[in-house]
C-alpha cells in the first residue's frame, strides 16, 4: 500500500483501536510482581503507543503530503543525501530523469485528486490543472509539478498568444500538494482571473528540493544536486517546450512561502534574465547550512565566496542591484523575521524595486500566507507582460 493511501491509514488506525482494546484486556494479567509482568506492561504500553503514533503520523502526512512515497520518506534513491561524500557524477544526486522522453512528462495524480476546490468544467470555461514531472535537460533532475492553465489558454481568441508564467515553490519539506490544498493557489488564481483582478497566467507549482529528503535550498551544491541550475535554466526550458508560455523574462515570475520564498528571492536576484519578479512570503534572506541541508557550499578557497553570494543583504551592499521587482510578505507580530524583512526592504536600491504586504498579526503558517496570497498574485500580475508575443513570431 502507498504511503498516502487511505487503505493504509484506515488499517493502521484500526490496529491502534485493537491495541488499545488488547491493552485494557491484558492489563490485569500483568498486575503481578516480577520481571515477566513488568516486561508485559512495558510491552503493551510501547506497542500501543507505537501504533497510535504511526496512525497519527500517517493521517498528518496524508493531509499535508510531506512525503508522497515510501522511497521519499526513507530516502531510497541512488546517491541519496545520506551519501554526501559519494556525490558527484556531474551533480546528479537524487531522482534522475531521462530528458530524451520529454522535458515535461505526464505522471500520476501525485495527490492532485485529493485537492479540494479545483476548477471544474470545460477547460475553456474553468481552466485545467495538470499533474506532470519536469525533467532537467542539463541536471537530469526530476521534480513533480502541478500546472494551472487558465481558461483563456484554451479559448480560440488566445490561440496564438504566449502566457506569462509564475513558478510557485512550496516550503520544506512540503510539496505540490500543499500549494494546492492548503495555500489554495490555483483556486485563488482562478477566482482573481475570473474577477478580472489578475491577467491570465500559467502557474507551475513545485517543491524547492530536487534531492529529497535533503533541503537543497535552490543552491548548486559542489559535487551535489544542482538545484539552482534546475530552477533557473531547466524549468523554463522545459515549460517552453510543452506550453504556450512567454520567451521573454518580462513574462516570468517566481514566488513561494517560507523556504520557497527564500528560493524565489535567490532566483530572481541571481538570475534576473530568467525571472524579473519575485513574491516571497515569510522568507529568509540568506542560505545557511543546517542538519536538513548538509554542506551546501563545499570546501576550498571558494567556500566563503559561495556562501556570501547567497546572502541577499551582502549582495545588496556589495553588488549592483538587479533589475527585478520583489514583494515581501510579513507580519508585525507573530513573524520572527519582521526585523529582517524591514532591513531587506530598506536596503533595496534602483533599478531593483520592492513592495510589501505587512499584516498586523500573523504566524509562520498557511492561514497567514492565504491572507497574503491574493495581494501577492495581483502584484505579480501587474509586474508580468501579457500578451507577450504571437506564437510563430519568436
Amino acid at each position: 500500500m502507498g504511503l498516502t493511501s487511505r487503505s493504509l491509514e484506515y488499517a493502521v488506525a484500526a490496529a491502534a483501536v485493537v491495541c488499545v482494546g488488547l491493552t485494557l484486556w491484558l492489563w490485569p494479567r500483568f498486575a503481578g510482581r516480577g520481571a515477566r509482568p513488568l516486561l508485559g506492561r512495558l510491552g503493551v504500553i510501547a506497542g500501543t503507543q507505537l501504533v497510535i503514533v504511526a496512525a497519527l503520523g500517517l493521517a498528518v502526512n496524508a493531509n499535508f503530503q510531506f512525503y508522497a512515497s515510501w522511497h521519499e520518506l526513507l530516502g531510497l534513491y541512488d546517491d541519496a543525501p545520506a551519501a554526501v561524500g559519494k556525490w558527484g557524477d556531474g551533480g546528479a544526486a537524487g531522482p534522475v530523469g531521462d530528458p530524451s522522453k520529454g522535458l515535461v512528462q505526464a505522471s500520476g495524480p501525485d495527490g492532485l485528486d485529493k485537492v479540494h476546490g479545483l476548477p471544474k468544467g470545460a477547460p475553456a470555461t474553468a481552466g485545467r490543472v495538470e499533474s506532470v514531472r519536469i525533467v532537467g535537460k542539463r541536471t537530469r533532475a526530476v521534480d513533480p509539478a502541478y500546472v494551472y492553465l487558465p481558461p483563456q489558454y484554451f479559448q480560440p481568441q488566445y490561440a496564438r498568444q504566449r502566457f506569462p508564467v509564475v513558478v510557485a515553490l512550496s516550503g520544506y519539506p512540503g510539496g505540490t500538494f500543499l500549494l494546492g490544498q492548503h495555500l489554495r493557489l490555483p483556486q485563488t488564481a482562478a477566482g482573481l482571473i475570473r474577477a478580472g483582478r489578475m491577467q491570465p497566467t500559467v502557474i507551475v507549482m513545485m517543491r524547492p528540493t530536487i534531492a529529497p529528503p535533503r533541503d537543497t535550498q535552490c543552491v548548486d551544491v559542489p559535487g551535489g544536486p544542482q538545484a539552482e541550475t534546475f530552477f533557473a535554466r531547466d524549468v523554463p526550458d522545459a515549460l517552453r517546450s510543452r506550453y504556450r508560455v512567454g520567451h521573454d523574462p518580462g513574462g516570468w515570475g517566481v514566488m513561494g512561502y517560507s523556504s520557497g520564498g527564500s528560493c524565489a528571492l535567490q532566483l530572481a536576484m541571481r538570475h534576473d534574465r530568467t525571472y524579473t519578479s519575485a513574491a516571497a512570503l515569510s522568507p529568509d534572506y540568506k542560505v545557511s547550512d543546517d542538519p536538513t541541508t548538509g554542506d551546501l557550499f563545499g570546501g576550498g578557497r571558494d567556500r566563503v565566496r559561495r556562501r556570501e553570494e547567497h546572502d541577499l543583504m551582502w549582495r545588496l551592499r556589495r553588488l549592483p542591484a538587479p533589475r527585478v521587482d520583489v514583494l515581501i510578505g510579513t507580519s508585525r507580530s507573530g513573524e520572527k523575521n519582521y526585523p529582517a524583512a524591514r532591513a531587506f526592504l530598506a536596503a533595496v536600491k534602483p533599478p531593483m524595486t520592492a513592495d510589501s504586504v505587512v499584516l498586523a498579526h500573523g504566524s509562520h503558517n498557511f492561514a497567514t500566507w492565504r491572507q497574503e496570497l491574493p495581494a501577492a498574485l495581483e502584484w505579480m500580475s501587474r509586474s508580468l507582460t501579457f500578451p507577450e508575443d504571437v506564437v510563430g513570431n519568436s
Side-chain angles (χ1 to χ4, degrees):
M1 289 183 285
L3 180 62
T4 60
S5 68
R6 291 294 182 187
S7 55
L8 177 63
E9 185 180 344
Y10 295 152
V12 177
V17 173
V18 170
C19 284
V20 171
L22 285 173
T23 299
L24 295 175
W25 181 59
L26 293 172
W27 196 258
R29 303 188 178 199
F30 299 129
R33 297 181 179 180
R36 292 184 64 183
L38 177 60
L39 291 174
R41 291 195 294 271
L42 290 174
V44 296
I45 291 173
T48 302
Q49 298 250 357
L50 181 62
V51 178
I52 290 174
V53 169
L56 291 174
L58 287 170
V60 170
N61 188 65
N63 189 40
F64 288 98
Q65 294 280 313
F66 294 122
Y67 299 99
S69 67
W70 292 107
H71 271 63
E72 203 170 294
L73 175 66
L74 300 174
L76 298 179
Y77 295 110
D78 292 338
D79 295 321
V84 174
K86 297 181 180 179
W87 283 1
D89 190 25
V96 176
D98 183 358
S100 68
K101 297 180 180 179
L103 303 181
V104 178
Q105 302 173 5
S107 74
D110 273 331
L112 185 62
D113 54 336
K114 300 176 184 177
V115 176
H116 301 300
L118 292 177
K120 294 182 179 180
T125 303
R128 186 169 71 201
V129 182
E130 300 179 345
S131 176
V132 300
R133 291 187 180 275
I134 295 178
V135 179
K137 179 169 61 178
R138 300 166 186 83
T139 63
R140 297 178 62 86
V142 57
D143 207 23
Y146 297 161
V147 180
Y148 167 73
L149 302 170
Q152 291 80 0
Y153 190 90
F154 304 96
Q155 296 171 2
Q157 62 268 39
Y158 292 92
R160 293 179 58 80
Q161 301 295 339
R162 299 189 189 276
F163 287 77
V165 184
V166 173
V167 175
L169 302 175
S170 70
Y172 175 85
T176 51
F177 177 81
L178 299 186
L179 290 162
Q181 176 69 4
H182 295 286
L183 189 61
R184 300 186 61 79
L185 179 51
Q187 301 91 322
T188 304
L192 292 173
I193 292 171
R194 191 165 51 246
R197 295 164 55 190
M198 180 181 178
Q199 62 184 335
T201 304
V202 173
I203 299 177
V204 183
M205 293 156 271
M206 306 181 71
R207 64 187 182 192
T209 181
I210 63 169
R214 187 181 190 181
D215 183 5
T216 44
Q217 287 282 329
C218 296
V219 169
D220 279 352
V221 180
Q226 304 295 285
E228 183 173 8
T229 297
F230 178 75
F231 286 106
R233 302 183 68 188
D234 284 346
V235 168
D237 283 352
L239 295 173
R240 292 186 186 109
S241 75
R242 169 72 175 267
Y243 299 104
R244 213 165 62 249
V245 296
H247 286 188
D248 188 88
W252 285 76
V254 58
M255 70 180 302
Y257 65 85
S258 190
S259 59
S262 306
C263 281
L265 290 179
Q266 293 277 342
L267 289 168
M269 291 181 65
R270 290 172 58 84
H271 299 277
D272 56 344
R273 294 186 179 182
T274 300
Y275 301 105
T276 57
S277 300
L281 312 181
S282 306
D284 291 321
Y285 301 94
K286 66 178 180 179
V287 175
S288 302
D289 292 343
D290 64 34
T292 66
T293 66
D295 183 0
L296 292 173
F297 304 110
R301 292 178 297 176
D302 291 337
R303 174 180 173 81
V304 173
R305 177 187 57 80
R306 286 192 290 266
R307 186 175 63 245
E308 287 177 339
E309 289 181 353
H310 282 280
D311 182 335
L312 299 184
M313 292 298 293
W314 183 92
R315 296 184 71 88
L316 288 173
R317 290 192 299 265
R318 304 290 183 87
L319 301 179
R323 192 176 294 275
V324 296
D325 304 321
V326 300
L327 176 76
I328 302 300
T330 187
S331 305
R332 291 188 180 88
S333 67
E335 281 275 23
K336 295 188 294 185
N337 71 348
Y338 178 62
R342 291 187 59 183
F344 176 84
L345 292 166
V348 169
K349 55 190 177 185
M352 183 175 173
T353 67
D355 294 295
S356 63
V357 176
V358 182
L359 303 181
H361 306 282
S363 299
H364 200 79
N365 57 36
F366 285 105
T368 297
W369 300 323
R370 283 194 299 268
Q371 283 185 268
E372 299 167 340
L373 181 62
L377 287 173
E378 290 184 58
W379 174 90
M380 184 73 77
S381 180
R382 293 191 297 269
S383 300
L384 300 180
T385 303
F386 177 75
E388 179 184 305
D389 50 28
V390 179
V391 172
N393 286 359
S394 64

